[in-house]
Amino acid sequence: MKKILISLLFPLAMGQAQQTDSPLNIILMIGDGMGLSQISAGMYANNNQTVLEDFPVIGLSKTHSKNNLVTDSAAGGTAMACGEKIYNYVLGINSKNEKLESVLEICEDNGYNTGLIANSSIVHATPASFYANVDSRKKYEEIAVQLSESDVDYFIGGGKKHFNERKDSRDLIKEMNTVDVVKSFRAYKKSDAKRIGLFTYDDEPPSIIEGRKPLLADYLTATLEKLDSREEPFFLMVEGSQIDWGGHANDIDYITSEFIEFNNTIEVAMNYAKNDSNTLVIVTADHETGGLAITMGKTEGFEMVTGFNTVGHSATMVPVFSYGKFS
Ligand code: MG
Ligand code: ZN
């Protein structure tokens, strides 16, 4: 899996003389907990429309972790980031206790610019899968240290307190002296630093229903503008983090509102790739959450009756959509 990925990204490095113009830009979009039922419910709530209908290539992914049919977001994130199935609750360390390298780190080593955008905290399991190697996803302060020592060029997410209100009294924001850690989205857009970080909230960001702002699509638009202005290719991971939290809450309005925000963000990525033939967009999920089913509904107004099977995750396969070069 990893070999295939590397040969796709860096054909010359793998000795495959191929006519490629410039290296591939990659936008990986992860809807946490976004199974087919979440997509279906979100699509109906969005007047029966989703940009996912425009993706020409669609597959299915087996989400189980190393020893459990039901994965968590740490093992699920690591599988996507590092290409290996590991134990639940672990980040970037395999079952032989070996540290794994992520696609983001491989891209960094090959001269890429990289970015992580999430509407959870930036130390939460999904974004952390791309830069951390930790035996427990709950070790937020250790994960924060690992982000501060990483080469990630742009990051946007919550969880500032894990960086500057720590048990060890370190101020990682000050320690990250090669990153312009800005105080507002306006400052993020204005900054022309080569590395920029934006903490959106001290702790976990609220939901869309509770008024989370700015929107994920705005963050992606601003970050793509920066990446586009630079010469190097880029790898960007964007997470719709809270589709999962709506599933855990068994709250269909929470799920559909978070899905619609994510859908609008996917549209931004899709439009970028339509204008840049050197960009690949992949949209997928780490697992399904809630065991959601739509059991009744009308086409008029798209009202749904829904039911849940669990407040946890389920083991069902999830879809993978891709568009663009090498899709
Ligand atoms: Mg997540
Ligand atoms: Zn979850």
Side-chain angles (χ1 to χ4, degrees), residues 186-303:
R186 199 146 62 126
Y188 181 87
K189 284 190 281 191
K190 247 171 108 182
S191 172
D192 53 13
K194 285 208 160 157
R195 302 182 66 204
I196 316 172
L198 169 61
F199 289 108
T200 53
Y201 290 85
D202 265 344
D203 204 337
E204 295 300 337
S207 66
I208 281 287
I209 293 172
E210 292 166 329
R212 185 179 67 239
K213 264 184 191 166
L215 298 172
L216 201 61
D218 299 328
Y219 292 142
L220 176 58
T221 301
T223 305
L224 282 174
E225 240 165 67
K226 293 182 188 301
L227 290 164
D228 193 58
S229 72
R230 299 183 62 174
E231 278 193 8
E232 305 83 10
F234 65 81
F235 173 86
L236 185 59
M237 193 290 295
V238 185
E239 186 196 17
S241 316
Q242 297 199 24
I243 299 166
D244 175 66
W245 303 356
H248 285 292
N250 284 187
D251 181 338
I252 192 65
D253 295 332
Y254 193 167
I255 290 171
T256 55
S257 55
E258 294 293 333
F259 173 82
I260 290 168
E261 188 212 28
F262 192 50
N263 182 69
N264 295 339
T265 314
I266 297 166
E267 200 166 353
V268 170
M270 184 81 163
N271 287 336
Y272 184 87
K274 278 181 183 164
N275 289 315
D276 184 312
S277 59
N278 210 40
T279 296
L280 169 67
V281 182
I282 302 170
V283 184
T284 189
D286 47 0
H287 52 73
E288 193 274 346
T289 305
L292 172 62
I294 303 164
T295 52
M296 278 196 282
K298 293 187 182 132
T299 52
E300 194 193 332
F302 299 106
E303 272 174 42

Side-chain angles (χ1 to χ4, degrees), residues 15 25 30 32 37 39-40 64 73-74 78 93 97 99 107 116 119 131 134 198 215 226 229 263 294 298 320-321 323:
N25 296 319
I30 301 175
D32 198 317
S37 295
I39 293 170
S40 307
H64 67 82
S73 292
T78 301
I93 301 174
N97 210 25
K99 278 189 189 179
C107 284
L116 297 170
N119 46 32
Y131 61 82
V134 186
L198 169 61
L215 298 172
K226 293 182 188 301
S229 72
N263 182 69
I294 303 164
K298 293 187 182 132
V320 185
F321 305 86
Y323 173 83

Side-chain angles (χ1 to χ4, degrees), residues 5-228:
L5 185 63
I6 293 169
S7 68
L8 276 179
L9 295 178
F10 315 114
L12 294 176
M14 299 294 286
Q16 301 167 359
Q18 227 181 60
Q19 288 261 323
T20 49
D21 13 334
S22 35
L24 185 66
N25 296 319
I26 303 156
I27 308 174
L28 173 60
M29 310 197 61
I30 301 175
D32 198 317
M34 188 182 74
L36 266 181
S37 295
Q38 282 75 6
I39 293 170
S40 307
M43 177 183 73
Y44 294 136
N46 194 39
N47 204 25
N48 201 17
Q49 284 176 349
T50 168
V51 66
L52 292 170
E53 293 171 85
D54 298 340
F55 279 71
V57 183
I58 306 175
L60 291 167
S61 160
K62 299 198 271 188
T63 63
H64 67 82
S65 64
K66 176 77 181 169
N67 64 332
N68 199 322
L69 288 184
V70 181
T71 189
D72 83 314
S73 292
T78 301
M80 289 184 276
C82 307
E84 193 165 335
K85 289 189 180 290
I86 63 166
Y87 294 126
N88 284 352
Y89 311 114
V90 178
L91 288 166
I93 301 174
N94 70 12
S95 55
K96 295 176 202 144
N97 210 25
E98 296 162 337
K99 278 189 189 179
L100 301 174
E101 195 176 22
S102 75
V103 58
L104 182 146
E105 292 162 327
I106 294 170
C107 284
E108 278 289 346
D109 289 345
N110 282 273
Y112 272 58
N113 295 315
T114 58
L116 297 170
I117 305 174
N119 46 32
S120 64
S121 70
I122 201 68
V123 292
H124 215 261
T126 312
S129 298
F130 290 83
Y131 61 82
N133 309 91
V134 186
D135 61 7
S136 165
R137 58 180 286 180
K138 294 286 177 194
K139 292 184 176 170
Y140 292 125
E141 297 197 346
E142 173 55 27
I143 295 166
V145 169
Q146 295 192 16
L147 177 63
S148 77
E149 291 171 350
S150 78
D151 294 322
V152 176
D153 297 296
Y154 302 95
F155 69 83
I156 303 179
K160 186 180 185 184
K161 68 172 190 180
H162 304 294
F163 293 77
N164 66 354
E165 292 167 43
R166 300 166 52 85
K167 284 192 205 101
D168 62 9
S169 311
R170 283 171 70 178
D171 185 343
L172 301 180
I173 296 174
K174 281 206 183 107
E175 289 182 31
M176 282 190 268
N177 50 28
T178 60
V179 182
D180 185 14
V181 180
V182 293
K183 293 208 161 66
S184 67
F185 183 44
R186 199 146 62 126
Y188 181 87
K189 284 190 281 191
K190 247 171 108 182
S191 172
D192 53 13
K194 285 208 160 157
R195 302 182 66 204
I196 316 172
L198 169 61
F199 289 108
T200 53
Y201 290 85
D202 265 344
D203 204 337
E204 295 300 337
S207 66
I208 281 287
I209 293 172
E210 292 166 329
R212 185 179 67 239
K213 264 184 191 166
L215 298 172
L216 201 61
D218 299 328
Y219 292 142
L220 176 58
T221 301
T223 305
L224 282 174
E225 240 165 67
K226 293 182 188 301
L227 290 164
D228 193 58

